[in-house]
């Protein structure tokens, strides 16, 4: 039997308020494994007119100490627009299933 690489995707909608930098924390949730690849990208609402791009102030990798332990990504974003900006966070997870 051969190992199988599994690629999973999910997304969620968030809002970044204007003003000071704001932190957003992402992790896969149930079924996460320590030996997986996990990442998050963001895509602002395409209907927002005259969008000033959101600024990624920092990206940190941490370990969630729950059960099971899993990787967390903490994004700090700055919104320089006059009002809140909605965005979609696209989560991708790649792992190997041993058969």
């Amino acid at each position: 039997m051969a190992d199988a690489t599994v690629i999973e995707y999910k997304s969620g909608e968030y809002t970044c308020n204007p003003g000071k930098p704001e932190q957003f924390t992402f992790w896969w949730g149930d079924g996460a494994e320590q030996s997986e690849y996990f990442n998050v990208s963001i895509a602002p609402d395409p209907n927002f007119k005259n969008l000033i791009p959101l600024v990624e102030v920092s990206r940190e990798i941490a370990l969630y100490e729950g059960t099971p332990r899993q990787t967390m990504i903490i994004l700090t974003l700055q919104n320089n627009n006059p009002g809140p900006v909605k965005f979609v966070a696209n989560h991708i997870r790649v792992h190997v299933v041993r058969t």
Side-chain angles (χ1 to χ4, degrees):
M1 295 188 174
D3 294 343
T5 301
V6 178
I7 300 172
E8 297 176 271
Y9 166 84
K10 63 182 174 180
S11 65
E13 189 175 283
Y14 300 84
T15 300
C16 187
N17 294 305
K20 64 181 183 175
E22 192 171 349
Q23 277 192 344
F24 298 88
T25 303
F26 306 98
W27 62 89
W28 189 261
D30 290 342
E33 299 177 24
Q34 202 167 3
S35 61
E36 67 187 21
Y37 172 79
F38 170 67
N39 208 345
V40 173
S41 68
I42 62 169
D45 181 350
N47 298 316
F48 195 97
K49 305 295 182 215
N50 302 316
L51 174 71
I52 298 169
L54 296 175
V55 176
E56 185 175 309
V57 176
S58 70
R59 176 180 289 254
E60 302 172 60
I61 307 298
L63 193 60
Y64 174 69
E65 294 293 341
T67 305
R69 295 175 68 195
Q70 57 189 290
T71 302
M72 289 189 318
I73 296 173
I74 303 166
L75 291 182
T76 302
L77 301 175
Q78 173 82 36
N79 175 6
N80 295 322
N81 291 278
V85 172
K86 290 184 180 181
F87 67 92
V88 172
N90 300 295
H91 306 65
I92 187 167
R93 175 184 182 222
V94 179
H95 59 102
V96 174
V97 175
R98 308 271 182 226
T99 56

